[in-house]
Amino acid sequence: MGEGKKKDVIDLAKYLEHGVRVKFNGGREVTGMLKGYDQLVNLVLDDCVEFIRDPLDPNKITNETRNLGLVVCRGTQVWIISPVDGMEEIENPFLET
Amino acid sequence: MSGRIMPLELIDKCIGSRLWIIMKGDKELVGTLRGFDDCVNIVLEDVVEYEIDEDGTKHKIELEQILLNGNSVALLVPGGSPEN
């Protein structure tokens, strides 16, 4: 078994002051500038914009948005975090070296 | 570059002010934040609850004081409102 050393699966420090796209459990999707985070992946986003979903198909986002401003994202509901300008591959977090 | 903002500290600063809470489903609430705990269960006063139906209609309910279970809270917006 592992030694129980806590290591973050994703290093959010490199995304500070960068645009990120966050998808939530339940289908909500927002973008914003990452201003802060904690170990539980709670996030602070500035100039946050939510993408509104199609009421008939909640899995589809429309082009409509609404501005939210400065927000806190709950880490328990965060599903995906990606940079606004593309995808980034991380080291395999399941490998124990 | 200034230090990063801690998420729970930002919520703490909001105690006493209006807070807009967006749940993971189609429900939102606005109320005065009285307090919260580590799980972000929240005590709110003078609350307006908004529910969004499939056809897009919003329903408003007003409540004096509530304890909101933090399980389904997705976003917290200090000082905001869905009426904008």
Side-chain angles (χ1 to χ4, degrees):
Chain A
M1 279 292 169
E3 287 169 315
K5 221 192 224 171
K6 287 292 175 189
K7 209 176 82 167
D8 295 338
V9 169
I10 179 172
D11 175 24
L12 290 172
K14 63 179 189 235
Y15 289 139
L16 275 176
E17 306 296 327
H18 283 75
V20 293
R21 171 179 292 263
V22 181
K23 296 194 194 190
F24 294 89
N25 193 2
R28 291 195 188 267
E29 208 166 317
V30 302
T31 57
M33 175 165 298
L34 185 67
K35 289 292 188 180
Y37 60 94
D38 61 18
Q39 188 123 22
L40 303 171
V41 197
N42 294 315
L43 310 171
V44 178
L45 297 183
D46 202 357
D47 296 320
C48 184
V49 170
E50 179 180 6
F51 294 89
I52 302 182
R53 292 164 290 162
D54 188 347
L56 299 166
D57 179 7
N59 293 322
K60 202 155 53 157
I61 51 170
T62 66
N63 286 327
E64 281 177 56
T65 62
R66 61 172 178 173
N67 295 333
L68 303 177
L70 181 66
V71 309
V72 173
C73 301
R74 275 295 276 142
T76 54
Q77 298 297 330
V78 167
W79 186 45
I80 295 180
I81 302 176
S82 61
V84 136
D85 48 7
M87 307 281 194
E88 193 170 328
E89 193 178 318
I90 62 170
E91 241 182 78
N92 190 336
F94 302 107
L95 285 176
E96 276 163 32
T97 49
Chain B
M1 217 175 276
S2 58
R4 68 190 209 221
I5 307 174
M6 298 304 281
L8 298 185
E9 281 176 15
L10 179 56
I11 304 177
D12 190 73
K13 283 191 188 161
C14 198
I15 292 180
S17 319
R18 297 298 277 175
L19 180 65
W20 174 17
I21 297 172
I22 301 175
M23 311 295 278
K24 81 175 197 189
D26 292 316
K27 193 193 286 264
E28 305 178 5
L29 300 97
V30 180
T32 303
L33 177 64
R34 283 279 163 251
F36 66 101
D37 64 8
D38 289 339
C39 303
V40 196
N41 295 314
I42 292 174
V43 177
L44 285 179
E45 242 171 35
D46 300 321
V47 184
V48 181
E49 179 182 340
Y50 300 87
E51 276 205 75
I52 311 202
D53 288 344
E54 287 159 2
D55 51 1
T57 57
K58 296 188 187 194
H59 293 279
K60 283 166 72 165
I61 310 168
E62 277 151 47
L63 308 148
E64 241 177 62
Q65 192 180 70
I66 67 169
L67 168 64
L68 177 67
N69 188 325
N71 215 343
S72 305
V73 171
L75 290 144
L76 302 108
V77 191
S81 168
E83 303 275 15
N84 303 351

